[in-house]
Amino acid sequence: MQKLSMDQLNRVDVDSFKAQQKTPIVLVLDNVRSMHNVGSAFRTADGFAIEKIVLCGITATPPHREIEKTALGATQSVEWVHVKDNTEAVKLLKQEGYKVYAVEQAEGAIFLNDFTALPNEKIALVFGNEVHGVDEEVMSLVNGCIEIPQFGTKHSFNVSVTIGIVLWDIVRKTRF
């Protein structure tokens, strides 16, 4: 077995990426404090050709050296906006026809393995602060809540890991 070279991967350039059809998912980062987590969100969003990222509250914005350490240039390819008020961001997404889901451990949450989305359904996924999770006001506005089943002693995954798990599962179910 031999790894593929960069040429063999046939990756698109940034301009081609921006022009291509996107997976109709928006990531909402609700007061994510770690710039490495923000950068990882960008890199994962690029990998799955996600529509855009909405950075809310204290979430850092590009350009920033600490974000780029993990984004590896994905801040140039993935569309993003900063909205100071997280509840305003959710309300705007709902007005634009997105179903908004918090990714959180909450009463009435549906396990990720049971979550289904229709192909081309517009979805926004809210990922919360590393310590406090998704803001309570945002929780009162979402259409639903998705939870990743866990079996260990810890109560949560790192937010960047959570983004990868959730995006892969939803993209797998809707694109393949």
Side-chain angles (χ1 to χ4, degrees):
M1 182 146 310
Q2 184 176 2
K3 295 186 333 183
L4 296 175
S5 70
M6 293 303 274
D7 290 336
Q8 290 171 314
L9 290 174
N10 293 320
R11 298 290 186 204
V12 297
D13 61 27
V14 172
D15 290 333
S16 298
F17 178 87
K18 287 182 177 185
Q20 79 183 36
Q21 184 175 351
K22 300 295 185 296
T23 305
I25 297 175
V26 171
L27 301 183
V28 179
L29 302 186
D30 177 15
N31 290 298
V32 172
R33 64 184 180 167
S34 165
M35 287 188 239
H36 294 145
N37 285 335
V38 175
S40 291
F42 271 93
R43 190 164 168 193
T44 303
D46 177 280
F48 290 119
I50 300 308
E51 200 171 292
K52 74 177 173 181
I53 298 177
V54 179
L55 308 168
C56 298
I58 65 165
T59 306
T61 61
H64 196 286
R65 180 174 58 91
E66 293 300 310
I67 293 172
E68 285 305 321
K69 282 183 180 179
T70 49
L72 297 179
T75 57
Q76 304 304 310
S77 57
V78 176
E79 181 183 334
W80 64 272
V81 296
H82 181 266
V83 179
K84 185 165 181 60
D85 185 330
N86 54 7
T87 59
E88 187 62 30
V90 170
K91 289 175 186 175
L92 287 170
L93 287 164
K94 288 177 85 170
Q95 287 174 1
E96 293 172 9
Y98 288 88
K99 285 192 176 178
V100 181
Y101 296 94
V103 179
E104 185 62 86
Q105 297 165 330
E107 185 178 313
I110 185 167
F111 281 130
L112 179 60
N113 51 297
D114 295 326
F115 178 78
T116 55
L118 300 173
N120 298 315
E121 182 176 33
K122 293 169 61 168
I123 297 173
L125 301 167
V126 183
F127 297 89
N129 176 275
E130 293 89 341
V131 175
H132 305 293
V134 176
D135 183 274
E136 287 294 339
E137 284 186 69
V138 170
M139 291 293 290
S140 70
L141 297 172
V142 298
N143 296 96
C145 188
I146 300 168
E147 181 178 343
I148 301 171
Q150 297 175 51
F151 311 103
T153 62
K154 301 302 169 199
H155 295 100
S156 66
F157 292 110
N158 177 281
V159 67
S160 66
V161 172
T162 301
I163 291 169
I165 292 169
V166 172
L167 282 181
W168 165 244
D169 189 71
I170 293 173
V171 168
R172 179 184 61 81
K173 289 173 180 173
T174 58
R175 287 188 67 149
F176 298 106

